[in-house]
Amino acid sequence: MFDSLSSRLEGIVKKLRGRGRLTEADVDEMLVEIRTALLEADVNVGVVRNVIARIREQAIGARLSEALDPGQQVIKIVNQELTAMLGGETLKISYASRPPTVVLMAGLQGSGKTTSAAKLARWFKSQGRQPLLVGADLQRPAAVEQLRTLGRQIDVPVFSEPGDPVKTAKRGLAEARRLGRDVLIVDTAGRLSIDAEMMEQVRQISKVVEPNYTFLVIDAMTGQDAVGVAEAFHSTLAIDGVILSKLDGDARGGAALSVKEVIGRPIAFASTGEKLNEFEQFHPDRMAGRILGMGDVLSLIESAEQAFDQDQAQKAAERMLDGEFTLDDFLDQMQALKKMGPLSNVLGMMPGMPKEMKGAEIGDDALKPVEAIIRSMTALERRKPELLNGSRRARIANGSGTSVGEVNRLVKQFQEMQKMMKRMGGASRGGKKGKRGLAGLAGMQGLPGQGLPGMPGMPGMPGQGMPGGFPQFN
Amino acid sequence: MSKARSAFTGALVRISTRTGITSETWVELEEALLLADVGVRVADELLAGLRAGVKAKEIVDPMQLVTALQSEMTARLAGADRSLHLVAGDADSPNVWLFVGVNGVGKTTTIGKVAAQQRAEGRTVLLAAGDTFRAAAAEQLATWAERSGSEIVRGSDGGDPSAVIFDAIERASARRIDLVLADTAGRLHTKSNLMEELRKVRRVAAKGKGRVTEVLLVIDATTGQNGLAQAREFGAATMTDGTGVTGVVLTKLDGSAKGGIVFAIETELGLPVKLVGVGETIGDLVPFDPAEFVDALVQIS
Ligand SMILES: Nc1nc2c(ncn2[C@@H]2O[C@H](COP(=O)(O)OP(=O)(O)O)[C@@H](O)[C@H]2O)c(=O)[nH]1
Ligand SMILES: [Mg+2]
């Protein structure tokens, strides 16, 4: 639905190629797009304002790295900032010396408290604890019945009695002590943060059970209001951590960032499905990419930086632009690509990659025959593929366990690629790009949104269709 | 704390106290719209229109600017058919209203409220407990049946929801009941198997004697930009003869959220907002009033 940030930045980035540093104007232009992306992800307006200011500070004058283009560089800064904001202190559960450890669940109506309470109980069980659930939502019809059913499914007892939620909570605590349960999870009715009476009620519940942990349950689809809600609950209850529910949908989940920023408490758990085991501890690094709508683009950028040997890139780039790019270089680049992880992962990490391609369709197997063919060539043949006549091709096919057709295809695609390189080389020198332009070409500049990181050797793929540039084998 | 609060939630429009229209006025206005969840695109578009007005000197002070924004928004919401459709026909052919939406938005509660209103208007109502997934969902609906004086048909937990709804319609037909309100399990619009299930529910609901005259999408006022995707996907899944979702119910407008996403849903996807939930009790349901909604969205302080 939304354009990915990388594709939004693409146009801006094109203009910046070959520059050594980002100017204020460059950064501001990019920040407009980043702001939009954050707002579309439901990050609160005020929080966006703060984040943008911090990113701006870091990005202006940042030295451009050799391996990344300016867009990637800024995205990397944004991602680091968001990850830092989402992460930081993690919530580590320590158990009360005098059991039970009491956990209080709070939040708006329909945010997912009851399901989360049961999931949490199951999680505590998996940690070797013996929880008791208390149904103190006496407001919504059949809420207690729902909790009892869930309790049965996970084999955790549920205590509740009709009447007053504060009393029920208090009796639940006594019940946990009597039964020797070492964790008590109190589910409460959903309430509006502006409902003074109901907020007072939950404060009373908190007072009688004296929770060790109070969790605020927030729906991942929440918009701007998340901030006000979190502030109100935090000032009433002193929230210890947040449970982010319904994260299995396609909401970008900017609310997580907003809430973390304004109450400063960690996001402890994420609920990722209706099944009771679909509940996990929160991973801030994944969330940042999600908010940006960019998959794991950052891990791609990072692995590219690691895998890519700069010297080699530089040399390859120069040869490439002189039209001297050989099949040996091609093989080297393929090795570099392989270091980045299984090819299907690499593709999966690419923003803007069509869904169909994110699967496992491009196995590393796709590269194997290419490798085999090149390895079956002599050194001379690798440098001068024009030598490859019919009998040489037959020999290579035989040696690599492929067919002549496959060899033909590879050679043809390689030659086309070479031609394109030459054109690019000419263009780039005509535009008097400096050295950095060359390294950039050899490096990552195919990104973002354009398909594969433009590894030299790979850039045969015009535009989006990355695998198109690969020699194709059926 | 209260300071921080005003930084994030209080941007609303001090504009009117200023004398001239400054760049800050625009920032405040934009932020006010964004804070109400109307979305970046809609906000930009609305402001672009106003900028033209300012340039042409039709708008000269901040107060006029806010008023112009409000009337533009109200105008965009004008003319929609917000009535709940009931087709009169054979006594054994009940109207069927289907309630759909993601988890926890207020489908079941809204059904209880709608049932009470329809009963008050003298119609007989039967509730179909089509949420066979969520624990105790049928119990919850049964409470609303009792409160509203409606009948209820329930299936077995974990059973086939379309079978329950089909049975409910047959029962309503046999008993000459006017209106069937069909509950469905909450589902994320990204779960293809559950959306497929909904497709079947929609199909089956029209198979017997019933006539599906409303498919109401329930949207929680706290919903952010994801609401648009919800509207699109639920619309697609219930699409029958060119009509999918026939209207939106905006719930929980009694809270602090403004529900601006329904402005985008109505103006971009053409789905009229018909009802508004303003509380948890049976009477807390009112018709959608565009002017009132817009006033609350862009408040002048
Ligand atoms: N404050 C408020 N709460 C509501 C409203 N509508 C529903 N709720 C609450 O939202 C929660 C979820 O409602 P429910 O009907 O079970 O949602 P469903 O999962 O979509 O069927 C319940 O606690 C309801 O009481 C409303 O208009 N205002
Ligand atoms: Mg329900």
Side-chain angles (χ1 to χ4, degrees):
Chain A
M1 160 164 62
F2 303 116
D3 289 339
S4 76
L5 179 56
S6 46
S7 61
R8 288 169 175 286
L9 290 177
E10 207 174 338
I12 302 175
V13 167
K14 272 190 194 132
K15 296 190 307 197
L16 301 182
R17 278 195 189 133
R19 296 236 199 109
R21 262 175 217 280
L22 293 174
T23 68
E24 243 179 87
D26 300 336
V27 170
D28 284 338
E29 202 178 344
M30 284 195 248
L31 287 177
V32 171
E33 299 299 338
I34 290 163
R35 174 176 184 265
T36 301
L38 293 174
L39 289 169
E40 283 182 343
D42 293 321
V43 181
N44 177 271
V45 173
V47 175
V48 169
R49 208 190 297 127
N50 296 353
V51 182
I52 291 291
R54 291 199 291 260
I55 293 169
R56 188 168 190 275
E57 212 161 281
Q58 293 171 51
I60 290 175
R63 255 193 76 78
L64 290 171
S65 96
E66 299 278 293
L68 305 178
D69 76 22
Q72 292 171 320
Q73 190 113 0
V74 171
I75 285 171
K76 186 175 162 180
I77 293 171
V78 176
N79 190 78
Q80 275 167 351
E81 177 65 28
L82 298 194
T83 308
M85 282 173 72
L86 286 162
E89 178 198 358
T90 51
L91 187 80
K92 220 176 152 290
I93 304 274
S94 50
Y95 295 91
S97 54
R98 197 170 146 257
T101 301
V102 178
V103 177
L104 181 65
M105 310 290 284
L108 296 178
Q109 290 93 340
S111 56
K113 286 171 300 304
T114 307
T115 312
S116 296
K119 287 177 168 182
L120 198 56
R122 189 185 171 282
W123 183 85
F124 275 115
K125 256 187 91 175
S126 75
Q127 305 288 305
R129 301 283 153 171
Q130 298 188 303
L132 173 72
L133 283 160
V134 174
D137 178 359
L138 306 179
Q139 182 112 345
R140 196 190 75 204
V144 172
E145 200 39 50
Q146 184 192 357
L147 192 64
R148 286 193 198 282
T149 307
L150 297 174
R152 271 194 299 277
Q153 286 170 15
I154 54 173
D155 201 19
V156 168
V158 175
F159 173 86
S160 184
E161 56 185 20
D164 175 33
V166 182
K167 262 188 212 141
T168 293
K170 194 171 177 185
R171 293 277 317 274
L173 179 57
E175 190 67 4
R177 294 216 171 99
R178 192 179 69 79
L179 295 171
R181 310 296 291 190
D182 54 12
V183 173
L184 180 75
I185 301 172
V186 183
D187 183 26
T188 62
R191 65 201 70 227
L192 296 172
S193 56
I194 54 171
D195 185 335
E197 200 177 308
M198 288 295 284
M199 291 304 277
E200 176 56 24
Q201 180 203 71
V202 78
R203 210 173 61 82
Q204 291 302 326
I205 293 175
S206 174
K207 222 166 123 187
V208 299
V209 299
E210 297 185 322
N212 303 83
Y213 294 98
T214 301
F215 286 124
L216 176 66
V217 183
I218 295 263
D219 188 322
M221 294 177 277
T222 312
Q224 296 289 321
D225 193 43
V227 156
V229 168
E231 284 177 334
F233 275 93
H234 190 46
S235 72
T236 305
L237 294 174
I239 299 301
D240 295 290
V242 172
I243 296 176
L244 197 58
S245 69
K246 308 178 203 172
L247 201 56
D248 45 329
D250 61 353
R252 301 252 284 267
L257 192 72
S258 309
V259 168
K260 174 76 203 302
E261 171 88 349
V262 296
I263 68 173
R265 306 307 304 149
I267 296 165
F269 294 96
S271 202
T272 53
E274 293 192 62
K275 290 196 208 78
L276 293 174
N277 60 357
E278 290 171 316
F279 188 71
E280 51 189 47
Q281 272 170 308
F282 180 73
H283 302 286
D285 42 343
R286 284 187 226 163
M287 194 67 206
R290 177 177 178 142
I291 289 173
L292 290 172
M294 305 187 66
D296 286 331
V297 71
L298 226 282
S299 35
L300 176 75
I301 290 176
E302 261 158 26
S303 35
E305 280 182 310
Q306 285 163 13
F308 203 77
D309 180 306
Q310 275 304 310
D311 286 343
Q312 178 183 316
Q314 189 67 41
K315 271 187 244 140
E318 278 159 16
R319 275 201 309 279
M320 180 167 84
L321 296 180
D322 292 332
E324 284 172 14
F325 187 69
T326 67
L327 279 158
D328 273 324
D329 297 319
F330 185 45
L331 200 58
D332 283 347
Q333 297 315 322
M334 220 148 63
Q335 306 301 341
L337 186 62
K338 267 168 93 178
K339 269 193 249 162
M340 291 168 61
L343 192 47
S344 53
N345 283 358
V346 175
L347 294 178
M349 284 189 270
M350 296 306 306
M353 191 55 77
K355 256 190 222 126
E356 313 78 87
M357 282 183 41
K358 290 204 170 173
E361 275 149 87
I362 316 271
D364 293 281
D365 290 354
L367 291 180
K368 275 194 193 134
V370 181
E371 230 182 291
I373 291 172
I374 298 176
R375 290 198 190 290
S376 298
M377 295 176 184
T378 66
L380 191 64
E381 285 165 349
R382 289 185 211 179
R383 269 197 312 273
K384 294 190 182 312
E386 56 275 16
L387 293 178
L388 293 169
N389 57 20
S391 67
R392 285 180 191 252
R393 290 183 191 214
R395 190 203 80 235
I396 292 164
N398 204 12
S400 59
T402 60
S403 68
V404 175
E406 283 168 288
V407 176
N408 288 345
R409 230 165 348 209
L410 171 63
V411 172
K412 183 154 177 264
Q413 278 171 335
F414 175 75
Q415 282 168 337
E416 270 164 17
M417 212 157 72
Q418 244 182 346
K419 256 187 257 159
M420 201 175 102
M421 299 279 155
K422 252 183 222 161
R423 273 203 305 277
M424 284 166 68
S428 139
R429 249 157 306 175
K432 57 172 172 200
K433 302 238 162 113
K435 258 200 148 191
R436 143 83 207 153
L438 297 185
L441 252 180
M444 294 293 301
Q445 45 112 282
L447 270 194
Q450 240 175 227
L452 235 224
M455 315 292 296
M458 299 289 121
M461 28 280 182
Q464 280 269 12
M466 167 255 143
F470 274 97
Q472 271 165 21
F473 293 87
N474 18 353
Chain B
M1 188 54 43
S2 63
K3 237 195 208 143
R5 196 188 156 84
S6 67
F8 298 115
T9 58
L12 262 263
V13 183
R14 283 162 306 205
I15 290 169
S16 52
T17 62
R18 300 246 171 75
T19 40
I21 296 172
T22 63
S23 64
E24 213 172 312
T25 315
W26 291 107
V27 171
E28 282 186 11
L29 212 52
E30 190 205 16
E31 294 199 348
L33 287 169
L34 293 174
L35 279 170
D37 290 314
V38 301
V40 188
R41 199 155 16 120
V42 171
D44 284 355
E45 212 186 283
L46 287 167
L47 294 184
L50 293 177
R51 281 206 171 86
V54 171
K55 219 171 157 198
K57 300 253 162 31
E58 291 155 16
I59 303 167
V60 293
D61 68 52
M63 189 66 200
Q64 279 178 333
L65 193 59
V66 174
T67 315
L69 174 62
Q70 286 177 334
S71 49
E72 172 61 21
M73 292 181 81
T74 314
R76 289 190 187 204
L77 295 173
D81 172 14
R82 304 184 192 283
S83 66
L84 294 164
H85 296 155
L86 278 162
V87 175
D90 297 339
D92 67 347
S93 179
N95 282 265
V96 179
W97 293 355
L98 198 58
F99 290 76
V100 302
V102 300
N103 315 65
V105 287
K107 291 176 293 300
T108 307
T109 309
T110 302
I111 287 177
K113 297 171 182 176
V114 170
Q117 286 187 352
Q118 293 298 319
R119 293 288 297 128
E121 288 178 24
R123 295 188 187 92
T124 48
V125 177
L126 184 145
L127 310 186
D131 181 357
T132 56
F133 179 82
R134 172 167 161 179
E139 279 77 11
Q140 186 188 354
L141 192 68
T143 306
W144 287 109
E146 204 175 295
R147 287 180 185 171
S148 61
S150 312
E151 300 197 30
I152 182 168
V153 168
R154 356 182 350 175
S156 55
D157 286 351
D160 177 7
S162 29
V164 177
I165 289 171
F166 186 81
D167 288 351
I169 294 169
E170 291 308 291
R171 170 94 64 94
S173 166
R175 300 217 197 161
R176 307 277 193 264
I177 285 174
D178 301 319
L179 179 63
V180 175
L181 302 179
D183 197 9
T184 61
R187 66 200 73 221
L188 294 180
H189 54 283
T190 48
K191 306 259 154 119
S192 53
N193 56 335
L194 296 179
M195 294 310 274
E196 198 45 53
E197 180 190 86
L198 186 62
R199 217 166 254 133
K200 185 173 166 202
V201 162
R202 174 64 185 84
R203 218 167 36 236
V204 168
K207 227 165 101 183
K209 296 269 188 187
R211 279 161 306 168
V212 180
T213 45
E214 290 287 351
V215 176
L216 296 169
L217 173 68
V218 183
I219 298 268
D220 184 324
T222 61
T223 309
Q225 298 310 299
N226 194 245
L228 272 170
Q230 293 172 25
R232 271 196 206 98
E233 297 302 323
F234 278 98
T238 54
M239 192 58 72
T240 312
D241 301 330
T243 312
V245 167
T246 58
V248 171
V249 182
L250 176 63
T251 57
K252 309 184 195 175
L253 204 58
D254 47 326
S256 45
K258 306 282 186 201
I261 193 63
V262 300
F263 183 83
I265 291 174
E266 175 163 326
T267 56
E268 300 203 348
L269 305 180
L271 303 182
V273 186
K274 295 194 166 176
L275 298 168
V276 176
V278 290
E280 294 186 83
T281 58
I282 199 156
D284 295 330
L285 187 74
V286 296
F288 177 74
D289 177 339
E292 213 173 283
F293 173 74
V294 166
D295 272 1
L297 213 89
V298 195
Q299 270 167 351
I300 308 163
S301 68

